[in-house]
Structure formats: C-alpha cells, structure tokens
Amino acid sequence: MARGGSNKTKGDASERRCIVSGDTQPKAGLIRFVVGPDNQVVPDILEKLPGRGMWVTSDAELLAQASKGQFSRSAKAPVTVPEGLVDEVERQLARRVVDLIALARKAGLAVCGFEKVKGWLSGGAHVRVLLQASDGSDRGKAKLWTPEGARYFGCLTSDELGLAFGRQSVIHGALATGGLSDRVVEEASRLRGLRDKGDGNPAVGKDKVAR
C-alpha cells in the first residue's frame, strides 16, 4: 500500500520522471544519478548507489542540459557536475553492454562471425538480438536480417564487440532468447540513446521491436 492509501503497482515502481524533459517513462529509458558525499553528481548505471535518485533520459542533449543547472534544481542544493559527464556515462554504458554480451557468450547464448550468425538466422534459432559493429561495412551488414520479434543494435564498435566475444574485433553477433539477452536489450537501448547516429539495420532500414 502506497502513501495516501492507494495501491502501488509494479508499473509505478518501474517508471521515473526525467528532471530535464519532465516526461515520465519506464526506467529502461533513463539513467540514474545521485549526489555523492562531496556534493558531486555521480552516474549510477547499476542503480545501486544510496541516495535520492535523479533520473535523466538517455539522450546526449538532455544530459548536457541537466549539467547546466537541472541537477542542482533537482537536488535542491548546489552540486558539482564533473567535466565530461556525458562521455563518462557513455563509457560506463558501453562497458556494461560489453560485459553483458560476454556473460551471454559464456552461457552459450551468443555467437559471432558472419557465417555463424547467418546460420542462426536461417536455421530457425530463436534469435533475440542481432548485433553489428557501427564501423562495419554497410554492404556486408545488409546481407543479414533482423528476425521478426528480435532487436537490432549497431551502437557498438568492432573493437567493443571484439572485447565482448574475446576477439580482436567482431562485426556480426547474435544473442539467443534468454534473461541475459533481455538485459542486453535494455542497456543497449540506453547506449543507443547517447550514440544516436541512425544505427538501424541496413538490411531492413529500422529495428523490429519485440513487445
């Protein structure tokens, strides 16, 4: 039971208000920040740090705006915003996505390489995510497709995908359905919000979103 006698639903707990745009949306599209003991704003990518959370939509422009006074207004006190905060958030998110893909690989839920990915796509495997490097050849990437109900992400570089798969570089990757893959979808969606450079699958022109 929430304050005021109203029932608190699961949906209430999963939504937060962006301190910049004022929009209320699922937490999956926002990034949490807290104020540390030194009154400095700290990104809380894992959403585990103590303190009152300040939520900002995962968008580079909105994060930049938040650094220009919105954090102080939300905290109702002067706070220090570290230089390069947006870049640091992007770095942490990218590392988070890479680590989750690596976990999926170790769990047997991921493959990389053009032929292996194509085999999964054409062989009836339950693909949850198609991953392709942002710096890969559009011609090569267009030869693969996003299955109906799957998600496509092209927001990682070949070096970052390589790190996730334990190789020097990777252009194509795929994740099977599973809880880890769902977590990759959530975190990669946040990262794509910061790196929004039109990462749609060149084979289909846009993502196919499973709901």
Side-chain angles (χ1 to χ4, degrees):
M1 189 76 77
R3 290 183 181 179
S6 61
N7 291 320
K8 188 172 183 179
T9 67
K10 185 177 179 180
D12 294 328
S14 64
E15 293 188 343
R16 294 292 186 273
R17 178 178 175 274
C18 173
I19 64 172
V20 180
S21 68
D23 295 335
T24 298
Q25 58 181 295
K27 290 198 303 181
L30 299 112
I31 299 169
R32 184 177 189 264
F33 295 85
V34 298
V35 179
D38 56 355
N39 292 323
Q40 180 166 282
V41 174
V42 179
D44 181 21
I45 303 301
L46 300 181
E47 300 175 10
K48 293 182 178 180
L49 294 178
R52 176 179 173 273
M54 299 179 290
W55 299 82
V56 182
T57 301
S58 186
D59 177 275
E61 291 185 4
L62 291 179
L63 282 174
Q65 290 181 42
S67 301
K68 297 177 181 179
Q70 292 289 353
F71 282 125
S72 293
R73 282 191 282 273
S74 179
K76 298 180 180 180
V79 298
T80 301
V81 179
E83 186 177 351
L85 179 64
V86 177
D87 291 338
E88 176 60 18
V89 170
E90 180 182 335
R91 185 194 68 78
Q92 289 190 28
L93 277 175
R95 184 68 202 195
R96 175 66 173 159
V97 175
V98 166
D99 288 346
L100 287 172
I101 295 172
L103 287 174
R105 172 179 60 85
K106 293 175 182 177
L109 296 173
V111 295
C112 68
F114 181 85
E115 293 299 333
K116 288 185 178 180
V117 172
K118 184 179 179 180
W120 269 27
L121 295 175
S122 59
H126 296 289
V127 175
R128 178 71 174 97
V129 181
L130 173 63
L131 300 161
Q132 294 188 305
S134 58
D135 52 345
S137 164
D138 285 344
R139 182 178 180 181
K141 291 190 290 185
K143 294 178 181 179
L144 298 178
W145 60 94
T146 308
E148 188 68 37
R151 291 293 298 269
Y152 173 85
F153 291 103
C155 53
L156 291 175
T157 67
S158 57
D159 287 345
E160 289 169 336
L161 278 177
L163 186 61
F165 284 96
R167 299 189 178 187
Q168 184 172 354
S169 66
V170 167
I171 302 298
H172 314 281
L175 306 181
T177 55
L180 278 172
S181 299
D182 291 340
R183 290 166 64 187
V184 171
V185 167
E186 181 173 321
E187 299 300 343
S189 296
R190 289 173 172 164
L191 178 62
R192 184 175 58 186
L194 293 182
R195 294 181 172 181
D196 188 12
K197 297 177 182 177
D199 71 341
N201 186 342
V204 298
K206 62 179 180 179
D207 296 345
K208 291 181 178 179
V209 181
R211 289 289 182 243

